[in-house]
Every structure is written in structure tokens, then in C-alpha cells.
Amino acid sequence: MDEQRRARRERLRWHCRRALLELDIVFERFWRSAGELSEDDEVVLADLLAMEDHELWYLVSGQTETDDPRAKGMVERLRQA
Amino acid sequence: MSVTVRTFDAVIVGAGGAGLRAAIQLSESGFKTAVLTKVFPTRSHTVAAQGGVAASLGNSEEDHWHWHMYDTVKGSDWLGDQDAIEFMCRKANECVIELEHYGMPFDRTDAGKIYQRPFGGHMSNFGEKPVRRSCAAADRTGHAMLHAMYQRNVKANTQFFVEWMALDLVRDAEGEVLGVTAMDMETGEIVVFHAKATIFATGGAGRIFHSSTNAFINTGDGLGMAARAGIPLEDMEFWQFHPTGVAGAGVLITEGVRGEGGILRNGQGERFMERYAPNAKDLASRDVVSRAMVTEINEGRGCGPNKDFVLLDITHLEPATIMKRLPGIREIAIQFAGVDPIKEPIPVVPTCHYQMGGIPTNYHGQVVVPQGDAKAAVVPGFYAAGECACASVHGANRLGTNSLLDLLVFGKSAGETAVEELKKSAKAHKPLPQGEIDRALARVNRLDTQTTGADVHETRIAMQRAMQNHCGVFRFADKLKEGVGKILEVEQQVRNTVIRDKSKVFNTARVEALELENLIEVAVATMISAEARKESRGAHVRDDATDTPEHPDGRDDAHWLKHTLWYKEGNRLDYKPVTLTPLSVDTIALKKRAY
Ligand SMILES: Cc1cc2nc3c(=O)[nH]c(=O)nc-3n(C[C@H](O)[C@H](O)[C@H](O)COP(=O)(O)OP(=O)(O)OC[C@H]3O[C@@H](n4cnc5c(N)ncnc54)[C@H](O)[C@@H]3O)c2cc1C
């Protein structure tokens, strides 16, 4: 992985440090099992990580759904994590 | 090695509730203020607070700060300093109303006033009956609070340094604090923030325990930095455990679940709280329920293959009730316990929740340490507020909703004192001592060059297990002794950790290794302080200090009505008296803490 890509991935990882323990645990499990992330995956994940903690938790725990077709796959992966 | 120096009037480490409140005070007074934070301000752990913030506004029924003060002293099991407690309770209304003016969307009564609800331990008329004292913004109190204060700071031109990690204090030979060294996570660059006032608002260190309701960010960095700079840590043996964290995950299941009829059961299906608290049963206070649960587990009546948890049962409630009155609980149980609570009970254990101790301060927010004959001499240039500080208002046990109040009142107070001191101070900054800067550089350099050693993740788990097994809810003399040995072993491992990724740019492995160096200071302080305190008080409960007529609930005021001070150097302990004299009212006299 080139340095730029690595740095981008690491930044994403850091943005998974959240204010809610619920999300910390989901993301910890996600990274353990994530396997390869495509560049598109990284963009989608970055968008999700820009959400407020409570909104993101509602989404990941299935209390709300996303309208964004691109995000659905990633949300599903987080739910399975 | 030379490093870049950036100069400010004040540097604040932490952008949670306490840091943001202090920053408002400084920036609005026209001082050039930097706020450093590991994560975006509104992602600080204060966001997780739902229950509310205490203030005796008396909007729903009669209330008085003096009653609030009484409850707080009693809640603290008389270890809280009564001057600081009076100060906090008297300032509460002003601080909450200020927050309202900053735009905080509090819930309202029909008449348009701030709506208030009851919360455990808050009573009217000196402990007579529950009172409505908690002010909330739906279940988003902490979140709304941070947003309101962040906006106010943006307006006041506070300079935020987001994704910057403070590494160490810079303290000169006279003991004066001159700022911090910090790392820009984006580039790995280390910079000195040179300031006349340094305020720590770094939050708690709940991640020292294996089972914790705290998010991963709570690594006690401020405490680690203070300890390495020779500042003692106060009352670190006192940690509040919440009875119902999901076993294995820690995620909090609110008290509301038991309020709606949830029942705790042991491995035999028995509703065991009937034996421990025949009246209040499952709704007894947090420490009573937690201890009962641990007793069941210790005596072999736990659940699961290792008999190491109990069950929180709501299967007898109507599914519609669960969905309507306990929103989000079902999702937490499914996600973290793998059970649907409509059909199966939830495995729970008492879980570390709140740190009562911290960096010693007075009620002006100034850090104070023993010096010569004085037990509380001010450390010039250094302030602390919020969960990382110990003023001490929570003493041996915190009341719910009092910590959001703590960070408003003492965040403001630390800011105000810093403003006063800055107005008096000389124009020029004192020169920086190079040796102090090298201290932080050396720690980072070790990680960058060491090629073999202990794994960070495994070492952290070893620390958390040692704390959980030897210094948990219930404490045993022999286990504590053994625990001291264990945690000192882990400390050696921490000094010898290795990271594989040596890159500078956004290296999260390096950040986690540095965080572990802070966590371990807190863990060692906790274990050693707990081993030494030979009584039971508030959250510190030992099986060899039990309820006797001479020492009700095992509390021994003759010997232990005093604050612990742990020093990193030589793991030395010192003690200082509890301030029993309030500012204007009579002392709240010692008595047994009974509800
Ligand atoms: C689940 C949960 C629910 C709670 N509910 C309530 C409630 O209802 N009412 C109540 O009164 N209390 C509640 N509490 C307690 C309360 O939320 C906390 O005590 C309080 O929010 C702590 O605020 P703080 O400002 O001290 O720290 P935090 O909000 O934790 O902020 C710490 C800040 O320091 C920064 N930081 C840390 N280390 C560094 C470093 N090395 N360099 C740079 N920045 C750093 C972080 O980035 C962050 O910005 C709850 C706690 C939990 C865990």
C-alpha cells in the first residue's frame, strides 16, 4: 500500500474513535473483519463517519435506514460486524 | 533537538464540556487561547451523557442549593470538600442559565421554564424525599451542551487544534507550568505550546478496567502527563461502577430498565435483590446493587459457562412497552449480547463508569499540591477541570447529573481564575526548559526506534484484567496486595512496548501506545491507593472493613477521613485533610450514609 493510501486508511481508522462506546465496539469489530476496502468503500465510510454519533448509531443499529444507495452496502457490513 | 514553539496566552487540553467552558471564559476576555483535542470537539465523551445536569432551579417544585449541597456531601460519603461543594451547588443555577443563553435546547415546562426531573440521590429538605433537579435536553443533554458551547467558542475566536495529542507538561525548575508538548497526528510533528496558563480538561480514564461504560477515548492522558511531571493524583481508589453494563461489552443499560420493571436474576433464576434490599429491591442505589451482583457471582451463583454474569430480565414486560418506554435497549441487547430481550434476559455485570479522583485542585480550578507545611499550594500556571480533576466535589461517590454540573462550574471557574492571573502576569513568557521538552521527545523516540518488545493491545488487556480482577467493585486485602505486584509487572511491560508501523503520518498505533503509557499511570495509582486504604467508604468497599457499630458500613473516620495523594516517583503515598468547613454555612456533620 502506498504511503498516501496508508495515511488515508489510518485517518479513517482514527475517525472511528467515537463519543459512544456502542460505535467504538462496532468499528473495532468491523476493522478486525473488514478485509480489503476499495477506494469507493473508503469514500462511503468517510461520509458515514462525518455523521453525528447518535444518528450514526441509530443507522448502524437498524433504528433508521439510509436513502443513499451507495451507503447501504457499507451500513450492512457494519451491522454484520 | 529543536522543535517548533507556538505561543498563546492560554492552552487548554481537551474540548469536552470542561475544556469548552473554560475556553469561552478566556477567549471572551480577549486572551489568545488554543484548545487541543484528540477528536473533533463534539465527538468528546461528554456526548454520551443523557441523564441531565443538576441545578436547584426549583422550576417544578421547591428546591434550594443548600439541600443540593447536603445531598452531594452525603453522596460523597463525607470525603468531598465542603467548600468546593458549596461553591458548585451555589453556582449551579447561574451556570445552567448561562448555558441556556448559549442556545442549549433544554426540555421545557408548559410555562416555558426549564423542565426538571428526579434523579437518584437528589432530595429535598436535607434528604427527606426525591426532588426534581435534573435539567435535560431529551436524551441528548451532553451532545446539546457541547454544540452550544462549541458555537460560542467559534464566535469568540478560540483556536482549535483538532487531532492533536498533548504528550507532556512543560514545567520549569520552580515548578511553574509553561505549556505542553503536543503531536499533530496528521503529520507526526511535535510542537511546544508555550502558554502562561495551561488548563487540563482531558476527561476520565475508565478504560483502565476490562469492563467499562466509557468510550475508547477515555485514556486518562491528563492524569498521566500530570503524574510524570511530579504532580500527585488524588483519591484514585474511588471509581463508580454502574450495575448494568452488558457483559463482555460494557455498554450501559440505563437504570430506566429496572425502573420499568426489569428484574435481576442469578444462575438459579432467583430474584436475588429481594435478599439484599427487601424494600427497594432491584431499584436500590448503584453501589448496593453492584455489590449484590458481585456477591452472587463470587459465591458461584452467576450465569453462563463461567458463571461470571447475572441476568437482567424484561421478558415479562409487554413487547410494546419495551419498544415504547425503553427505546434503544433492544438494539443494544441484540447488537452486544446477541439476545432479543423480548424473548431472553440480558447478561449484565457491574461496569466501571466514573472516576471520582484526579488531578488535585481547589474550587478556583487551580492545581494544588503539598509544599513544605502547606498541603494545598498552588502550582503556578496550571489548572484542571472536569472528570480529570478532583476539586473534590464527588469524594468517594458521585451523584448522577453532578458531573455535567462539575464541568460547567469548574470549567468556568478555572477559566475565570486564569483570566485574573493573566491580567496580573508579566508581559513576556518565561523561557522554556529544554530538558522538559526532551522528556516527551524521548518517549516518542523510543517507540520510533524500538524493534522488539511487548504488544500494545495485549499489554492493555493485561492491565485491564489485573484491574478488574484485583480492584473491582468488591475489594479483598489479599487480592489487592497481589494486584499491586501484577500491575507493577504490567507497568514494566508498558515501558517495553513495540509498534510495527513507524510512519509519521497518521500513525494510530503510535497514538495507542502513547495512550497506554497514560492509562498505566492511572492504573498503578488506583491499585496502590486502594490497597492502602484500609476502610470501606463510598465506592471503595473492602471485605475486611465491614459494617460494625463502631464503623458503620466499614467507614473509619478516625483514621481515614482524608484524601489520598499518590506520587509516581517511588509510588509514594501522602494524605491531606478533607475540608469540612463550607464557605458560608455550617459544616454538614458526619453521619452514616443511609438512604
Ligand atoms: C455512558 C455515560 C453516561 C453519562 N451520563 C451522565 C449524565 O447524564 N450526567 C452527568 O452529569 N454525567 C454523566 N456522565 C459522566 C460525564 O459524561 C463525564 O464525566 C463528563 O462528560 C466528562 O467531561 P470532560 O469535559 O471532563 O471530558 P470529556 O468530555 O471526556 O472530554 C475530554 C476531552 O479531552 C481531549 N483529550 C484527552 N486527552 C487528550 C490529549 N492527550 N491531547 C489532546 N486532547 C485530549 C478529548 O479529545 C476530549 O475533547 C456519563 C458518563 C458516561 C460514560
Side-chain angles (χ1 to χ4, degrees):
Chain A
M1 211 183 308
D2 65 52
E3 177 59 22
Q4 237 181 358
R5 183 89 197 276
R6 189 206 65 85
R8 206 164 58 219
R9 173 75 68 93
E10 284 284 282
R11 179 182 290 109
L12 274 181
R13 260 185 200 272
W14 186 250
H15 289 176
C16 293
R17 271 288 183 97
R18 310 301 295 194
L20 300 178
L21 176 62
E22 287 87 331
L23 289 171
D24 278 346
I25 296 173
V26 166
F27 285 115
E28 187 184 45
R29 292 175 182 171
F30 171 77
W31 285 107
R32 219 182 286 144
S33 61
E36 255 321 291
L37 288 188
S38 68
E39 292 200 22
D40 282 351
D41 288 341
E42 288 179 0
V43 172
V44 173
L45 186 57
D47 285 349
L48 288 173
L49 291 171
M51 291 172 73
E52 296 282 1
D53 280 273
H54 290 96
E55 309 309 336
L56 184 54
W57 167 242
Y58 292 154
L59 183 59
V60 167
S61 61
Q63 299 176 70
T64 56
E65 294 297 337
T66 173
D67 300 331
D68 180 353
R70 289 176 324 140
K72 280 192 195 303
M74 183 57 72
V75 169
E76 203 41 50
R77 278 169 82 176
L78 291 170
R79 286 180 184 169
Q80 297 304 325
Chain B
M1 200 174 118
S2 82
V3 293
T4 307
V5 176
R6 300 178 93 140
T7 307
F8 291 87
D9 293 314
V11 57
I12 298 173
V13 185
L20 291 181
R21 187 62 193 83
I24 291 173
Q25 219 59 31
L26 281 146
S27 292
E28 290 190 347
S29 304
F31 290 103
K32 192 179 162 199
T33 305
V35 175
L36 274 53
T37 172
K38 292 195 287 188
V39 294
F40 193 76
T42 53
R43 227 167 265 152
S44 300
H45 199 36
T46 297
V47 167
Q50 303 186 336
V53 49
S56 59
L57 295 168
N59 285 352
S60 303
E61 58 188 314
E62 193 188 355
D63 200 1
H64 197 282
W65 65 260
H66 201 185
W67 300 346
H68 185 188
M69 177 185 171
Y70 175 86
D71 299 337
T72 306
V73 172
K74 177 178 167 185
S76 82
D77 217 352
W78 274 268
L79 193 72
D81 287 323
Q82 296 196 17
D83 55 346
I85 294 176
E86 177 178 338
F87 183 82
M88 179 178 83
C89 297
R90 290 185 77 145
K91 286 271 182 190
N93 293 4
E94 170 191 317
C95 285
V96 164
I97 287 164
E98 243 164 25
L99 195 60
E100 186 182 25
H101 293 163
Y102 295 166
M104 169 97 171
F106 281 114
D107 297 344
R108 311 235 153 235
T109 64
D110 291 342
K113 291 180 169 174
I114 294 175
Y115 173 80
Q116 297 188 277
R117 46 186 176 192
F119 215 92
H122 291 278
M123 319 280 269
S124 66
N125 206 15
F126 305 102
E128 216 173 77
K129 63 176 195 332
V131 71
R132 296 169 169 270
R133 189 177 286 150
S134 168
C135 315
D139 59 355
R140 300 269 183 103
T141 309
H143 181 255
M145 200 181 224
L146 282 190
H147 272 268
M149 293 202 285
Y150 178 63
Q151 292 308 331
R152 186 86 186 188
N153 271 294
V154 170
K155 246 193 236 156
N157 286 325
T158 301
Q159 266 181 269
F160 284 95
F161 291 82
V162 176
E163 291 169 359
W164 280 73
M165 181 184 191
L167 300 175
D168 268 307
L169 267 182
V170 178
R171 218 179 157 197
D172 71 8
E174 280 118 58
E176 183 162 347
V177 170
L178 305 178
V180 289
T181 42
M183 183 174 71
D184 179 358
M185 293 170 56
E186 172 96 49
T187 60
E189 189 194 5
I190 295 176
V191 168
V192 178
F193 285 77
H194 193 186
K196 294 180 191 171
T198 302
I199 302 183
F200 273 10
T202 50
R207 299 304 305 179
I208 64 168
F209 287 96
H210 192 62
S211 183
S212 174
T213 65
N214 287 195
F216 293 179
I217 190 92
N218 276 13
T219 55
D221 296 0
L223 283 80
M225 289 187 269
R228 283 191 295 275
I231 310 274
L233 302 182
E234 180 171 340
D235 291 340
M236 290 309 300
E237 60 271 46
F238 297 101
W239 290 84
Q240 184 170 75
F241 283 74
H242 195 288
T244 53
V246 173
V251 176
L252 187 83
I253 304 272
T254 93
E255 252 119 10
V257 172
R258 281 169 290 138
E260 288 299 331
I263 290 172
L264 290 163
R265 298 190 189 281
N266 64 17
Q268 294 147 11
E270 182 203 4
R271 182 181 193 179
F272 58 87
M273 282 311 300
E274 286 178 333
R275 276 189 277 119
Y276 296 89
N279 295 321
K281 297 188 181 120
D282 302 276
L283 286 173
S285 69
R286 281 183 188 174
D287 52 343
V288 172
V289 178
S290 291
R291 280 199 299 278
M293 289 166 71
V294 172
T295 305
E296 291 300 298
I297 292 168
N298 285 346
E299 293 181 358
R301 292 186 296 279
C303 307
N306 300 321
K307 296 185 184 296
D308 53 359
F309 56 82
V310 300
L311 294 170
L312 177 58
D313 188 0
I314 52 171
T315 55
H316 53 288
L317 302 183
E318 286 299 323
T321 309
I322 296 176
M323 309 296 270
K324 180 158 171 263
R325 310 200 61 109
L326 301 170
I329 293 304
R330 185 165 177 233
E331 286 73 16
I332 287 177
I334 291 174
Q335 185 82 230
F336 301 109
V339 302
D340 181 347
I342 292 175
K343 300 185 198 128
E344 275 177 89
I346 313 166
V348 291
V349 284
T351 300
C352 167
H353 186 52
Y354 184 83
Q355 162 196 312
M356 265 79 70
I359 302 168
T361 70
N362 58 23
Y363 64 85
H364 303 295
Q366 295 166 300
V367 175
V368 290
V369 298
Q371 203 177 73
D373 291 338
K375 279 291 181 191
V378 169
V379 177
F382 194 25
Y383 308 80
E387 194 166 336
C388 74
C390 182
S392 146
V393 284
H394 309 298
N397 176 58
R398 166 194 76 124
L399 292 189
T401 70
N402 259 357
S403 48
L404 288 185
L405 177 61
D406 165 351
L407 51 90
L408 287 180
V409 170
F410 295 107
K412 178 176 181 182
S413 170
E416 268 176 347
T417 314
V419 164
E420 290 315 308
E421 291 298 315
L422 282 168
K423 283 182 184 160
K424 285 189 266 172
S425 78
K427 280 230 151 35
H429 284 64
K430 282 179 94 180
L432 289 167
Q434 183 62 37
E436 281 284 284
I437 297 165
D438 292 343
R439 207 155 48 85
L441 294 177
R443 286 199 304 124
V444 176
N445 191 44
R446 180 189 73 76
L447 287 169
D448 286 348
T449 50
Q450 182 153 338
T451 51
T452 56
D455 178 80
V456 172
H457 177 70
E458 281 168 17
T459 311
R460 187 172 52 234
I461 301 270
M463 170 195 70
Q464 291 171 333
R465 288 209 186 279
M467 294 310 295
Q468 196 79 29
N469 296 339
H470 294 267
C471 202
V473 176
F474 231 149
R475 296 168 176 180
F476 303 87
D478 51 344
K479 282 244 165 209
L480 284 165
K481 262 211 181 74
E482 213 178 85
V484 170
K486 284 231 158 109
I487 205 71
L488 293 177
E489 261 171 46
V490 179
E491 189 189 22
Q492 289 313 311
Q493 243 169 287
V494 174
R495 305 277 162 258
N496 186 36
T497 49
V498 64
I499 52 170
R500 266 169 295 162
D501 184 354
K502 306 285 188 198
S503 48
K504 293 267 180 250
V505 177
F506 246 107
N507 185 339
T508 53
R510 182 157 63 180
V511 171
E512 285 175 9
L514 290 165
E515 287 178 334
L516 182 60
E517 294 191 358
N518 294 319
L519 281 166
I520 193 68
E521 303 294 358
V522 181
V524 170
T526 299
M527 190 76 85
I528 289 181
S529 304
E531 196 278 328
R533 185 176 283 271
K534 302 289 190 295
E535 65 160 356
S536 296
R537 183 185 297 269
H540 174 66
V541 182
R542 294 176 62 116
D543 90 315
D544 55 350
T546 51
D547 192 31
T548 63
E550 199 192 339
H551 299 130
D553 287 332
R555 196 178 86 194
D556 178 2
D557 290 324
H559 297 101
W560 289 103
L561 184 63
K562 56 188 179 186
H563 296 293
T564 307
L565 294 171
W566 167 87
Y567 288 83
K568 174 175 166 55
E569 199 184 7
N571 285 315
R572 180 165 66 86
L573 292 178
D574 191 3
Y575 293 90
K576 68 174 179 182
V578 175
T579 305
L580 293 170
T581 314
L583 299 171
S584 72
V585 290
D586 289 339
T587 295
I588 293 171
L590 285 158
K591 66 177 187 189
K592 179 178 163 147
R593 189 171 71 111
Y595 287 101

